[in-house]
Amino acid sequence: MQFAVTPCCKPQESIIGYCLRLAKRNGFTTIRDMLSDPVILRLAKGLKSGIFELDALLPDTASVGQASVRCVLFKKPHSILPRICLTCIAQDNVIPVSHQSPFIYRCDKHNDVLIDTCSHCTHPLHWDVDLLNARCTNASCQRPLHACQSVLPDSLPPQDLSDCLFAGIFARNPHKLSIKTHTFAKCYHIRSIIEDGFELLTQERRAKMWLAKTMSNFSHQLPITFRTIPIALLQRHLKSKNWPANEAFKQLAQCEYDNAAGSNCSVPPLLTHADVAMQLFGVELFELKQLQQFELIITTSAANLNKGVVVDISPAFNALSFNTTLQQMPTLKELMPLLHASNITVGKILEAILTQRLATSYLPSYDILTSLRVDPDCLLELIKALKSQSTLQKLTLSEASKLTGLTEKKLLSLREDGIIKKLPWDHDFSLKFCSYNEIVKLQKAQLTKQMLLQLPHD
């Protein structure tokens, strides 16, 4: 590959920006006459092209900055779609590498709002020579690009822009249940997405409208916590807790549930990440896998069930049935002290309910525990049966910590010292499980030690 003109690199110039200048100076009207699409994509990512003659000319790869800001939407804070400052183009004919950060909204040199869309045809810009001519890169438009106004303050820190970008995704998709993480940022119309997110997070009225729309997207057969999965996802990943919308989100915990159904209705597919499902059901991963064995939780891919896998949790609700004779019984939440005292997990109870080993009544309420009503006598019989099934019951360290009052770190130390024996199948100390019988022995030893300390001394 030979070039008639090889311009010098400019300070802080992006790799793809230099290649556009190189194409323009050598008479190419489009960069695709010089390079293939896969090579252009590599250059947009800030990588070398793999073409020796070209790589010798390229500027050194440099970080786009703001590396300390992390966003769940992508792993690297580097956008592979163009955004330009018209003043930078007019004065220096350059596209700085900093403009490829998704957490930069204005040019750090001229304070102009970065442009990513043509105001005439509304098409997003793509990498081509026309960017350096300040023209639309849409072949059927190619009209001059114009500066745009912004609804955002002149200065927002990168972490706030990250929140606005993340919230903008939810503002446009109020029934979003899962987040797919990409390596590089690739958001079309990123400027308007950030503005939508800023409006959602700063205007309480807008936030309440979004909440109402989100809630209405889901079946009334679901508890509130399941109908508000998008809200929980948004709250979890916001870096700032000072947004006005957070007050509207907090009010969900006090809202009254509008129960519009008194009989079984089919719940449509409800897809979310396994870690979210674990939190909503109040179970550990191994318990979720047990529900999967009964096809009450269905994975959407061939991958083994882990916290990042997307699962369909609707079969669990379609397996629940209404039983009016149990409507006056206590809720499962009210019976939780009994479960803790018996060392029975919520996952075991859910498995028994969903496989019809325990009669229950389901009436949607705030969460799964307040939606299920159980006969205490039947629950006691089930607990007795579960205890007799195995003398080597498996506990998580967090459960053992609640029973003994010891920290998980201390329990791990006791297990390494052999005071708490490992489970037969547990050959890795990183697996956070222990035997129920061993924890009972430890409890008795702690109780004996306390009694000895309380004896009077001569």
Side-chain angles (χ1 to χ4, degrees):
M1 179 177 287
Q2 298 294 323
F3 301 101
V5 182
T6 54
C8 294
C9 301
K10 297 185 178 181
Q12 300 300 314
E13 185 174 21
S14 65
I15 288 178
I16 184 64
Y18 174 80
C19 289
L20 293 181
R21 278 204 307 121
L22 183 65
K24 181 180 178 181
R25 292 290 303 274
N26 282 272
F28 292 103
T29 56
T30 172
I31 193 174
R32 283 160 183 80
D33 290 339
M34 185 177 80
L35 301 171
S36 65
D37 284 337
V39 172
I40 295 171
L41 180 59
R42 286 183 57 83
L43 296 170
K45 291 178 178 179
L47 306 174
K48 296 291 187 178
S49 67
I51 303 171
F52 177 78
E53 296 83 358
L54 177 60
D55 289 345
L57 302 173
L58 296 179
D60 293 332
T61 54
S63 171
V64 295
Q66 318 304 332
S68 61
V69 179
R70 293 288 181 264
C71 183
V72 72
L73 296 173
F74 36 81
K75 298 176 183 177
K76 296 185 179 180
H78 188 108
S79 176
I80 58 177
L81 298 177
R83 290 183 300 153
I84 64 170
C85 166
L86 293 180
T87 307
C88 285
I89 296 296
Q91 291 182 355
D92 303 314
N93 211 224
V94 67
I95 299 176
V97 66
S98 62
H99 292 182
Q100 286 190 262
S101 168
F103 309 131
I104 292 215
Y105 188 80
R106 294 176 177 271
C107 174
D108 47 3
K109 183 178 181 180
H110 304 106
N111 204 36
D112 291 347
V113 177
L114 299 181
I115 299 172
D116 63 354
T117 308
C118 175
S119 58
H120 301 289
C121 66
T122 70
H123 274 67
L125 304 178
H126 59 261
W127 295 111
D128 214 340
V129 175
D130 275 334
L131 288 179
L132 299 181
N133 299 322
R135 290 185 174 275
C136 175
T137 54
N138 178 14
S140 60
C141 179
Q142 294 188 319
R143 298 174 70 175
L145 298 172
H146 296 289
C148 58
Q149 300 298 317
S150 171
V151 299
L152 272 67
D154 286 349
S155 178
L156 274 180
Q159 60 268 21
D160 285 356
L161 283 171
S162 174
D163 280 355
C164 291
L165 175 60
F166 186 67
I169 303 293
F170 285 84
R172 296 186 169 204
N173 186 5
H175 55 275
K176 191 172 186 63
L177 299 175
S178 60
I179 302 166
K180 184 176 181 179
T181 302
H182 298 273
T183 302
F184 291 91
K186 187 180 180 180
C187 299
Y188 294 100
H189 305 287
I190 188 172
R191 179 177 58 82
S192 58
I193 292 175
I194 290 175
E195 290 176 348
D196 287 348
F198 180 76
E199 182 182 345
L200 173 62
L201 293 175
T202 56
Q203 298 180 16
E204 193 169 348
R205 180 174 174 273
R206 172 73 174 86
K208 289 180 178 179
M209 290 173 60
W210 178 73
L211 287 174
K213 188 175 182 180
T214 301
M215 295 280 284
S216 66
N217 283 329
F218 299 99
S219 168
H220 283 261
Q221 295 297 316
L222 296 171
I224 286 181
T225 51
F226 287 81
R227 291 171 60 192
T228 57
I229 293 175
I231 303 165
L233 281 177
L234 175 58
Q235 284 184 289
R236 180 193 299 184
H237 296 290
L238 288 179
K239 304 181 185 308
S240 173
K241 304 303 179 185
N242 298 322
W243 296 108
N246 282 324
E247 293 302 317
F249 298 155
K250 290 177 184 176
Q251 293 173 10
L252 276 175
Q254 287 79 37
C255 68
E256 295 183 2
Y257 190 81
D258 180 18
N259 181 12
S263 60
N264 288 325
C265 296
S266 177
V267 175
L270 189 62
L271 305 179
T272 189
H273 289 294
D275 62 338
V276 177
M278 290 164 52
Q279 182 181 2
L280 293 171
F281 282 113
V283 299
E284 299 288 344
L285 182 60
F286 74 93
E287 295 172 310
L288 200 68
K289 290 181 177 179
Q290 291 171 350
L291 296 178
Q292 180 194 20
Q293 293 175 358
F294 293 102
E295 297 185 348
L296 299 167
I297 301 293
I298 299 175
T299 57
T300 59
S301 67
N304 292 329
L305 182 59
N306 57 63
K307 293 183 178 181
V309 168
V310 175
V311 296
D312 181 7
I313 59 180
S314 63
F317 289 97
N318 290 326
L320 294 171
S321 60
F322 287 85
N323 186 341
T324 55
T325 60
L326 295 178
Q327 288 295 336
Q328 302 305 316
M329 295 297 179
T331 64
L332 193 56
K333 186 172 185 178
E334 294 170 325
L335 296 171
M336 284 303 294
L338 176 60
L339 298 184
H340 288 312
S342 306
N343 194 41
I344 300 296
T345 64
V346 173
K348 280 289 184 184
I349 300 300
L350 287 179
E351 179 186 328
I353 292 172
L354 296 169
T355 54
Q356 299 181 352
R357 292 166 56 203
L358 177 64
T360 184
S361 171
Y362 172 73
L363 191 64
S365 185
Y366 180 70
D367 57 19
I368 191 69
L369 296 181
T370 56
S371 300
L372 291 169
R373 294 181 177 273
V374 183
D375 185 342
D377 295 332
C378 293
L379 182 60
L380 286 172
E381 289 297 322
L382 176 67
I383 291 173
K384 184 178 179 181
L386 289 174
K387 282 190 172 183
S388 63
Q389 282 178 3
S390 174
T391 58
L392 194 62
Q393 189 176 355
K394 183 167 64 173
L395 290 179
T396 64
L397 286 185
S398 61
E399 293 167 345
S401 177
K402 292 178 182 177
L403 290 173
T404 61
L406 301 175
T407 64
E408 293 185 28
K409 185 177 180 180
K410 179 63 176 177
L411 290 170
L412 275 173
S413 176
L414 293 174
R415 210 173 62 155
E416 291 172 355
D417 295 340
I419 298 174
I420 299 176
K421 294 180 181 178
K422 292 193 299 179
L423 294 168
W425 58 85
D426 186 358
H427 302 293
D428 184 356
F429 279 120
S430 66
L431 297 177
K432 296 189 176 183
F433 298 108
C434 53
S435 165
Y436 171 72
N437 289 345
E438 292 296 316
I439 295 303
V440 170
K441 291 179 184 178
L442 185 61
Q443 281 182 299
K444 290 180 179 178
Q446 284 182 301
L447 183 60
T448 302
K449 183 178 180 181
Q450 290 174 3
M451 291 174 64
L452 289 173
L453 291 174
Q454 291 173 2
L455 289 175
H457 299 281
D458 295 334

